Coordinates of all heavy atoms in Angstrom, one line a residue:
M1365 N -1.9 -24.8 -11.0 CA -0.8 -23.9 -10.8 C 0.5 -24.7 -10.8 O 0.5 -25.8 -10.1 CB -0.9 -23.1 -9.6 CG -2.0 -22.0 -9.7 SD -1.5 -20.7 -8.6 CE -2.8 -20.7 -7.4
G1366 N 1.5 -24.2 -11.3 CA 2.8 -24.9 -11.3 C 3.5 -24.7 -10.0 O 3.1 -24.0 -9.1
F1367 N 4.6 -25.4 -9.9 CA 5.5 -25.3 -8.7 C 6.0 -24.0 -8.5 O 6.1 -23.5 -7.3 CB 6.6 -26.4 -8.9 CG 7.4 -26.6 -7.6 CD1 6.8 -27.1 -6.5 CD2 8.7 -26.1 -7.5 CE1 7.5 -27.3 -5.3 CE2 9.4 -26.3 -6.4 CZ 8.8 -26.9 -5.3
F1368 N 6.4 -23.3 -9.5 CA 7.0 -21.9 -9.4 C 6.1 -20.8 -9.8 O 6.5 -19.8 -10.2 CB 8.3 -21.8 -10.2 CG 9.4 -22.7 -9.6 CD1 9.8 -23.9 -10.3 CD2 10.0 -22.4 -8.4 CE1 10.8 -24.7 -9.8 CE2 11.0 -23.2 -7.9 CZ 11.4 -24.3 -8.6
S1369 N 4.8 -21.1 -9.7 CA 3.9 -20.1 -10.2 C 3.9 -18.9 -9.2 O 3.9 -19.0 -8.0 CB 2.5 -20.7 -10.2 OG 1.5 -19.7 -10.6
R1370 N 3.8 -17.7 -9.8 CA 3.7 -16.5 -9.0 C 2.3 -16.0 -8.7 O 2.1 -15.0 -8.0 CB 4.5 -15.3 -9.7 CG 5.9 -15.6 -9.8 CD 6.6 -14.4 -10.5 NE 8.0 -14.7 -10.7 CZ 8.9 -13.9 -11.1 NH1 8.5 -12.6 -11.3 NH2 10.1 -14.2 -11.2
R1371 N 1.4 -16.7 -9.3 CA 0.0 -16.3 -9.2 C -0.5 -16.6 -7.8 O -0.3 -17.7 -7.3 CB -0.8 -17.0 -10.2 CG -2.2 -16.4 -10.5 CD -2.9 -17.1 -11.6 NE -2.3 -16.8 -12.9 CZ -2.8 -17.4 -14.0 NH1 -3.8 -18.2 -13.9 NH2 -2.2 -17.1 -15.1
N1372 N -1.2 -15.7 -7.2 CA -1.8 -15.9 -5.9 C -3.3 -15.8 -6.0 O -3.9 -15.1 -6.8 CB -1.4 -14.8 -4.9 CG 0.1 -14.9 -4.5 OD1 0.7 -15.9 -4.8 ND2 0.6 -13.9 -3.8
D1373 N -4.0 -16.5 -5.1 CA -5.4 -16.4 -5.0 C -5.8 -15.7 -3.7 O -6.8 -16.0 -3.1 CB -6.0 -17.8 -5.1 CG -6.0 -18.4 -6.5 OD1 -5.8 -17.6 -7.4 OD2 -6.0 -19.6 -6.6
D1374 N -4.9 -14.8 -3.3 CA -5.2 -14.1 -2.0 C -6.0 -12.8 -2.3 O -5.4 -11.7 -2.2 CB -3.9 -13.8 -1.3 CG -3.1 -15.0 -0.9 OD1 -3.7 -16.0 -0.7 OD2 -1.9 -14.9 -0.8
T1375 N -7.2 -13.0 -2.6 CA -8.0 -11.8 -2.9 C -8.5 -11.3 -1.5 O -8.9 -12.1 -0.7 CB -9.2 -12.1 -3.8 OG1 -10.0 -13.2 -3.2 CG2 -8.8 -12.5 -5.2
P1376 N -8.5 -10.0 -1.3 CA -8.9 -9.5 0.0 C -10.4 -9.7 0.2 O -11.2 -9.6 -0.7 CB -8.5 -8.0 0.0 CG -8.1 -7.7 -1.4 CD -7.9 -9.0 -2.1
S1377 N -10.8 -10.0 1.4 CA -12.2 -10.2 1.7 C -13.0 -8.9 1.7 O -14.1 -8.9 1.4 CB -12.3 -11.0 3.0 OG -11.8 -10.2 4.1
N1378 N -12.3 -7.8 2.1 CA -13.0 -6.5 2.2 C -12.3 -5.6 1.2 O -11.2 -5.1 1.5 CB -13.0 -6.0 3.6 CG -13.8 -4.7 3.8 OD1 -14.2 -4.1 2.8 ND2 -14.0 -4.4 5.0
A1379 N -12.9 -5.3 0.1 CA -12.3 -4.5 -1.0 C -12.1 -3.1 -0.5 O -11.1 -2.4 -0.9 CB -13.1 -4.5 -2.2
E1380 N -13.0 -2.6 0.3 CA -12.9 -1.2 0.8 C -11.6 -1.0 1.7 O -10.9 0.0 1.6 CB -14.1 -0.8 1.6 CG -14.1 0.6 2.1 CD -15.4 0.9 2.9 OE1 -16.4 0.3 2.6 OE2 -15.3 1.8 3.8
M1381 N -11.4 -2.0 2.6 CA -10.2 -1.9 3.4 C -8.9 -2.1 2.6 O -7.9 -1.5 2.9 CB -10.3 -3.0 4.5 CG -11.3 -2.7 5.6 SD -11.1 -1.1 6.4 CE -9.5 -1.3 7.2
A1382 N -9.0 -2.9 1.6 CA -7.8 -3.1 0.7 C -7.4 -1.8 0.0 O -6.3 -1.5 -0.1 CB -8.0 -4.2 -0.3
E1383 N -8.5 -1.1 -0.4 CA -8.2 0.2 -1.1 C -7.7 1.2 -0.1 O -6.8 2.0 -0.5 CB -9.5 0.7 -1.7 CG -9.4 1.9 -2.5 CD -8.5 1.8 -3.7 OE1 -8.4 0.7 -4.3 OE2 -7.8 2.8 -4.0
L1384 N -8.2 1.2 1.1 CA -7.7 2.1 2.2 C -6.2 1.7 2.5 O -5.4 2.7 2.6 CB -8.5 1.9 3.4 CG -8.3 3.0 4.5 CD1 -8.6 4.4 4.0 CD2 -9.1 2.6 5.7
G1385 N -5.8 0.5 2.5 CA -4.4 0.1 2.7 C -3.5 0.5 1.5 O -2.4 1.0 1.7
R1386 N -4.1 0.4 0.3 CA -3.3 0.9 -0.9 C -3.1 2.4 -0.8 O -2.1 2.9 -1.1 CB -4.1 0.5 -2.1 CG -3.4 0.7 -3.4 CD -4.1 0.0 -4.5 NE -3.6 0.4 -5.8 CZ -2.5 -0.1 -6.3 NH1 -1.8 -1.0 -5.7 NH2 -2.1 0.3 -7.5
E1387 N -4.2 3.1 -0.4 CA -4.1 4.6 -0.3 C -3.1 5.0 0.8 O -2.3 5.9 0.6 CB -5.5 5.2 0.1 CG -5.5 6.6 0.1 CD -6.9 7.1 0.5 OE1 -7.9 6.4 0.2 OE2 -7.0 8.3 1.0
Y1388 N -3.0 4.2 1.9 CA -2.1 4.4 3.0 C -0.6 4.2 2.4 O 0.2 5.1 2.7 CB -2.3 3.4 4.1 CG -1.4 3.5 5.2 CD1 -1.5 4.5 6.2 CD2 -0.3 2.6 5.3 CE1 -0.6 4.6 7.3 CE2 0.6 2.7 6.4 CZ 0.5 3.7 7.3 OH 1.4 3.8 8.3
A1389 N -0.4 3.2 1.7 CA 0.9 2.9 1.2 C 1.4 4.0 0.2 O 2.5 4.4 0.2 CB 1.0 1.6 0.5
I1390 N 0.5 4.5 -0.6 CA 0.8 5.6 -1.6 C 1.1 6.8 -0.8 O 2.1 7.5 -1.1 CB -0.4 5.8 -2.5 CG1 -0.6 4.7 -3.5 CG2 -0.2 7.1 -3.3 CD1 -1.9 4.7 -4.3
A1391 N 0.4 7.2 0.2 CA 0.6 8.4 1.0 C 2.0 8.2 1.8 O 2.7 9.2 1.9 CB -0.5 8.6 2.0
K1392 N 2.2 7.1 2.3 CA 3.5 6.8 3.0 C 4.7 7.0 2.1 O 5.7 7.6 2.5 CB 3.4 5.4 3.6 CG 4.5 5.1 4.6 CD 4.1 5.6 5.9 CE 4.9 5.0 7.0 NZ 4.8 5.7 8.2
R1393 N 4.6 6.5 0.9 CA 5.7 6.5 -0.1 C 6.0 8.0 -0.5 O 7.1 8.4 -0.7 CB 5.4 5.7 -1.3 CG 6.6 5.7 -2.3 CD 6.3 4.9 -3.5 NE 6.5 3.5 -3.2 CZ 6.4 2.5 -4.1 NH1 6.1 2.8 -5.3 NH2 6.5 1.2 -3.7
H1394 N 4.9 8.7 -0.7 CA 5.0 10.1 -1.2 C 5.2 11.1 0.0 O 5.3 12.3 -0.3 CB 3.9 10.5 -2.1 CG 3.8 9.7 -3.3 ND1 4.7 9.9 -4.4 CD2 3.1 8.6 -3.7 CE1 4.5 9.0 -5.3 NE2 3.5 8.3 -5.0
G1395 N 5.2 10.7 1.2 CA 5.4 11.6 2.3 C 4.3 12.5 2.7 O 4.4 13.6 3.2
D1396 N 3.0 12.0 2.4 CA 1.8 12.8 2.7 C 1.4 12.4 4.1 O 0.6 11.5 4.4 CB 0.7 12.4 1.7 CG -0.5 13.3 1.8 OD1 -0.5 14.2 2.6 OD2 -1.4 13.0 1.1
R1397 N 1.9 13.2 5.1 CA 1.7 12.9 6.5 C 0.2 13.2 6.9 O -0.3 12.5 7.7 CB 2.6 13.8 7.4 CG 4.0 13.4 7.3 CD 4.9 14.2 8.2 NE 4.9 15.6 7.7 CZ 5.3 16.6 8.3 NH1 5.9 16.5 9.5 NH2 5.3 17.8 7.8
K1398 N -0.4 14.1 6.2 CA -1.8 14.4 6.5 C -2.7 13.2 6.2 O -3.6 12.9 7.1 CB -2.2 15.7 5.7 CG -3.6 16.2 6.0 CD -3.9 17.4 5.2 CE -5.3 17.9 5.5 NZ -5.6 19.1 4.7
T1399 N -2.5 12.6 5.1 CA -3.3 11.5 4.7 C -3.0 10.3 5.6 O -3.9 9.5 6.0 CB -3.1 11.1 3.2 OG1 -3.4 12.3 2.5 CG2 -4.0 10.0 2.8
V1400 N -1.7 10.0 5.9 CA -1.4 8.9 6.8 C -2.0 9.1 8.1 O -2.6 8.1 8.7 CB 0.2 8.8 6.9 CG1 0.6 7.9 8.0 CG2 0.8 8.4 5.6
T1401 N -2.0 10.3 8.7 CA -2.6 10.5 10.0 C -4.1 10.3 9.9 O -4.7 9.7 10.9 CB -2.4 11.9 10.5 OG1 -1.2 12.5 9.9 CG2 -2.1 11.9 12.0
R1402 N -4.7 10.8 8.9 CA -6.2 10.6 8.7 C -6.6 9.1 8.6 O -7.5 8.7 9.3 CB -6.7 11.3 7.4 CG -8.2 11.2 7.2 CD -8.6 11.8 5.9 NE -7.9 11.3 4.7 CZ -8.2 10.1 4.1 NH1 -9.2 9.4 4.5 NH2 -7.5 9.8 3.0
I1403 N -5.8 8.3 7.9 CA -6.1 6.9 7.8 C -5.8 6.2 9.1 O -6.6 5.3 9.5 CB -5.3 6.3 6.6 CG1 -5.8 6.9 5.3 CG2 -5.4 4.8 6.6 CD1 -4.9 6.4 4.1
N1404 N -4.8 6.6 9.8 CA -4.5 6.0 11.1 C -5.6 6.3 12.1 O -6.0 5.4 12.9 CB -3.2 6.5 11.7 CG -2.0 5.8 11.1 OD1 -2.1 4.7 10.6 ND2 -0.9 6.4 11.1
R1405 N -6.1 7.5 12.1 CA -7.3 7.8 13.0 C -8.5 7.0 12.6 O -9.3 6.6 13.4 CB -7.6 9.3 12.9 CG -6.6 10.2 13.7 CD -7.1 11.6 13.7 NE -6.1 12.4 14.2 CZ -5.8 13.7 13.8 NH1 -6.5 14.2 12.8 NH2 -4.8 14.4 14.3
Q1406 N -8.7 6.9 11.3 CA -9.9 6.2 10.8 C -9.8 4.7 11.2 O -10.8 4.1 11.6 CB -10.0 6.3 9.3 CG -11.2 5.7 8.7 CD -11.2 5.9 7.2 OE1 -10.4 6.7 6.6 NE2 -12.2 5.3 6.5
I1407 N -8.7 4.2 11.2 CA -8.5 2.8 11.5 C -8.6 2.6 13.1 O -9.2 1.7 13.6 CB -7.1 2.2 11.1 CG1 -7.2 2.1 9.6 CG2 -6.8 0.9 11.7 CD1 -5.9 1.7 8.9
G1408 N -8.1 3.6 13.8 CA -8.1 3.5 15.3 C -9.5 3.6 15.8 O -9.9 3.0 16.8
T1409 N -10.4 4.5 15.2 CA -11.7 4.7 15.7 C -12.6 3.5 15.4 O -13.5 3.2 16.1 CB -12.3 6.0 15.2 OG1 -12.4 6.0 13.8 CG2 -11.5 7.2 15.7
S1410 N -12.4 2.9 14.2 CA -13.3 1.8 13.8 C -12.7 0.5 14.4 O -11.5 0.3 14.3 CB -13.4 1.7 12.3 OG -12.2 1.4 11.7
G1411 N -13.5 -0.3 14.9 CA -13.1 -1.6 15.4 C -12.8 -2.5 14.2 O -13.8 -2.9 13.6
L1412 N -11.6 -2.9 14.0 CA -11.3 -3.7 12.8 C -11.3 -5.2 13.3 O -10.7 -5.5 14.3 CB -9.9 -3.4 12.3 CG -9.7 -2.1 11.5 CD1 -8.3 -1.9 11.0 CD2 -10.7 -2.0 10.4
S1413 N -11.9 -6.0 12.5 CA -11.8 -7.4 12.7 C -10.5 -8.0 12.1 O -9.8 -7.2 11.4 CB -13.0 -8.1 12.1 OG -13.0 -8.0 10.7
D1414 N -10.2 -9.2 12.3 CA -9.0 -9.8 11.8 C -9.0 -9.8 10.2 O -8.0 -9.6 9.6 CB -8.8 -11.2 12.3 CG -8.4 -11.2 13.8 OD1 -7.9 -10.2 14.2 OD2 -8.6 -12.2 14.4
S1415 N -10.2 -10.1 9.7 CA -10.3 -10.1 8.2 C -10.1 -8.7 7.6 O -9.5 -8.6 6.5 CB -11.6 -10.7 7.8 OG -12.7 -9.9 8.2
D1416 N -10.6 -7.7 8.3 CA -10.4 -6.3 7.8 C -9.0 -5.9 7.9 O -8.4 -5.3 7.0 CB -11.3 -5.3 8.6 CG -12.8 -5.5 8.3 OD1 -13.1 -6.1 7.3 OD2 -13.6 -4.9 9.1
R1417 N -8.3 -6.3 8.9 CA -6.9 -6.0 9.1 C -6.0 -6.7 8.0 O -5.1 -6.1 7.5 CB -6.4 -6.3 10.5 CG -5.0 -5.8 10.8 CD -4.7 -5.9 12.2 NE -5.6 -5.1 13.1 CZ -5.5 -3.7 13.2 NH1 -4.6 -3.1 12.5 NH2 -6.3 -3.1 14.0
T1418 N -6.3 -7.9 7.7 CA -5.6 -8.6 6.7 C -5.9 -8.1 5.3 O -5.0 -8.0 4.5 CB -5.9 -10.1 6.7 OG1 -7.3 -10.4 6.6 CG2 -5.4 -10.8 8.0
S1419 N -7.1 -7.6 5.1 CA -7.4 -7.0 3.8 C -6.6 -5.7 3.7 O -6.1 -5.3 2.6 CB -8.9 -6.7 3.7 OG -9.7 -7.8 3.7
F1420 N -6.5 -4.9 4.8 CA -5.8 -3.7 4.8 C -4.3 -3.9 4.5 O -3.7 -3.3 3.6 CB -5.9 -3.0 6.1 CG -5.2 -1.7 6.2 CD1 -5.7 -0.5 5.8 CD2 -3.9 -1.6 6.9 CE1 -5.0 0.7 5.8 CE2 -3.2 -0.4 7.0 CZ -3.8 0.7 6.5
E1421 N -3.8 -5.0 5.1 CA -2.4 -5.3 4.9 C -2.1 -5.8 3.5 O -1.1 -5.5 2.9 CB -1.9 -6.4 5.9 CG -1.8 -5.9 7.3 CD -0.8 -4.8 7.5 OE1 0.3 -4.9 6.9 OE2 -1.0 -3.9 8.2
Q1422 N -3.1 -6.6 2.9 CA -2.9 -7.0 1.5 C -2.9 -5.9 0.6 O -2.2 -5.8 -0.4 CB -4.0 -8.0 1.2 CG -3.8 -9.4 1.8 CD -5.0 -10.3 1.5 OE1 -6.1 -9.8 1.1 NE2 -4.9 -11.6 1.8
G1423 N -3.8 -4.9 0.8 CA -3.8 -3.7 0.0 C -2.5 -2.9 0.1 O -2.0 -2.4 -0.9
R1424 N -2.0 -2.8 1.3 CA -0.8 -2.0 1.5 C 0.4 -2.8 0.8 O 1.2 -2.2 0.1 CB -0.5 -1.9 3.0 CG 0.6 -1.0 3.3 CD 0.8 -0.8 4.8 NE 1.1 -2.1 5.5 CZ 2.3 -2.7 5.5 NH1 3.3 -2.2 4.9 NH2 2.4 -3.8 6.2
E1425 N 0.5 -4.1 1.0 CA 1.6 -4.8 0.4 C 1.5 -4.9 -1.1 O 2.5 -5.0 -1.8 CB 1.6 -6.2 1.0 CG 2.0 -6.3 2.4 CD 1.8 -7.6 3.1 OE1 1.3 -8.5 2.4 OE2 2.1 -7.7 4.3
S1426 N 0.3 -4.8 -1.7 CA 0.1 -4.8 -3.2 C 0.8 -3.6 -3.8 O 1.3 -3.7 -4.9 CB -1.3 -4.9 -3.6 OG -2.0 -3.7 -3.3
Y1427 N 0.7 -2.5 -3.1 CA 1.4 -1.3 -3.6 C 2.9 -1.3 -3.2 O 3.7 -0.8 -4.0 CB 0.7 0.0 -3.1 CG 1.3 1.2 -3.7 CD1 0.9 1.6 -5.0 CD2 2.2 2.0 -3.1 CE1 1.4 2.7 -5.6 CE2 2.8 3.1 -3.7 CZ 2.3 3.5 -5.0 OH 2.9 4.6 -5.6
D1428 N 3.2 -1.8 -2.1 CA 4.6 -1.8 -1.7 C 5.4 -2.7 -2.5 O 6.6 -2.6 -2.6 CB 4.7 -2.2 -0.2 CG 4.4 -1.0 0.7 OD1 4.4 0.1 0.3 OD2 4.1 -1.3 1.9
S1429 N 4.8 -3.7 -3.1 CA 5.5 -4.7 -3.9 C 6.0 -4.1 -5.3 O 6.9 -4.6 -5.9 CB 4.7 -5.9 -4.2 OG 3.6 -5.6 -4.9
I1430 N 5.3 -3.0 -5.7 CA 5.7 -2.3 -6.9 C 7.0 -1.4 -6.6 O 6.9 -0.6 -5.7 CB 4.6 -1.4 -7.4 CG1 3.3 -2.2 -7.7 CG2 5.0 -0.6 -8.6 CD1 2.1 -1.4 -7.9
R1431 N 8.0 -1.6 -7.3 CA 9.2 -0.9 -7.1 C 9.0 0.6 -7.5 O 8.4 0.9 -8.6 CB 10.4 -1.4 -8.0 CG 10.9 -2.8 -7.5 CD 12.1 -3.3 -8.2 NE 13.0 -2.2 -8.6 CZ 13.7 -2.2 -9.7 NH1 13.5 -3.1 -10.6 NH2 14.5 -1.2 -10.0
P1432 N 9.6 1.5 -6.8 CA 9.5 2.9 -7.2 C 10.3 3.2 -8.4 O 11.4 2.6 -8.6 CB 10.0 3.7 -5.9 CG 10.7 2.7 -5.1 CD 10.2 1.4 -5.5
I1433 N 9.9 4.2 -9.2 CA 10.7 4.6 -10.3 C 11.9 5.4 -9.9 O 11.7 6.4 -9.2 CB 9.8 5.4 -11.3 CG1 8.7 4.5 -11.8 CG2 10.6 5.9 -12.5 CD1 7.7 5.3 -12.6
P1434 N 13.1 5.0 -10.3 CA 14.2 5.8 -9.8 C 14.2 7.2 -10.5 O 13.9 7.3 -11.6 CB 15.4 5.0 -10.3 CG 14.9 4.1 -11.3 CD 13.5 3.9 -11.1
R1435 N 14.6 8.1 -9.7 CA 14.7 9.5 -10.2 C 15.9 9.7 -11.0 O 17.0 9.2 -10.7 CB 14.7 10.5 -9.0 CG 13.4 10.5 -8.3 CD 13.4 11.6 -7.3 NE 12.1 11.7 -6.7 CZ 11.7 12.8 -6.0 NH1 12.5 13.7 -5.8 NH2 10.5 12.8 -5.5
G1436 N 15.8 10.5 -12.1 CA 16.9 10.8 -12.9 C 17.9 11.8 -12.2 O 17.5 12.5 -11.3
R1437 N 19.0 11.8 -12.7 CA 20.0 12.8 -12.2 C 19.6 14.2 -12.6 O 19.1 14.4 -13.7 CB 21.4 12.4 -12.6 CG 21.9 11.2 -12.0 CD 23.3 10.9 -12.5 NE 24.1 12.1 -12.8 CZ 25.2 12.1 -13.5 NH1 25.7 11.0 -14.0 NH2 25.9 13.2 -13.6
N1438 N 20.0 15.1 -11.8 CA 19.8 16.5 -12.1 C 21.0 16.9 -13.0 O 22.1 17.1 -12.5 CB 19.7 17.4 -10.8 CG 19.3 18.8 -11.2 OD1 19.1 19.1 -12.3 ND2 19.2 19.6 -10.1
R1439 N 20.7 17.1 -14.3 CA 21.8 17.4 -15.2 C 22.0 18.9 -15.4 O 22.9 19.3 -16.2 CB 21.5 16.7 -16.5 CG 21.5 15.2 -16.4 CD 21.4 14.5 -17.7 NE 21.4 13.1 -17.4 CZ 20.5 12.2 -17.8 NH1 19.5 12.7 -18.6 NH2 20.5 11.0 -17.5
R1440 N 21.2 19.7 -14.7 CA 21.4 21.2 -14.9 C 22.6 21.6 -14.0 O 22.7 21.1 -12.8 CB 20.2 21.9 -14.4 CG 19.2 22.1 -15.5 CD 18.0 23.0 -15.0 NE 17.2 22.1 -14.1 CZ 16.6 22.6 -13.0 NH1 16.7 23.8 -12.7 NH2 15.9 21.8 -12.2
K1441 N 23.4 22.5 -14.5 CA 24.5 23.0 -13.7 C 24.6 24.5 -13.7 O 24.2 25.1 -14.6 CB 25.8 22.4 -14.1 CG 25.9 20.9 -13.8 CD 27.3 20.4 -14.0 CE 27.3 19.0 -13.6 NZ 28.7 18.5 -13.5

């Protein structure tokens, strides 16, 4: 890898938790409070280890790093 390489080798150790983090970020962005609460409860009841928590954060950050598409103007009058 080069000095300015953007490539990361930070693959999550738990793919299931990474997917849950990605689902959480999607629900958060779209304002789906029901799903966010469900995921928070699911995380709260299960004892997460440090590796599971980092996998969750990596999944969440992978979706958060994608810029949202700007909405067009409402041209109807």
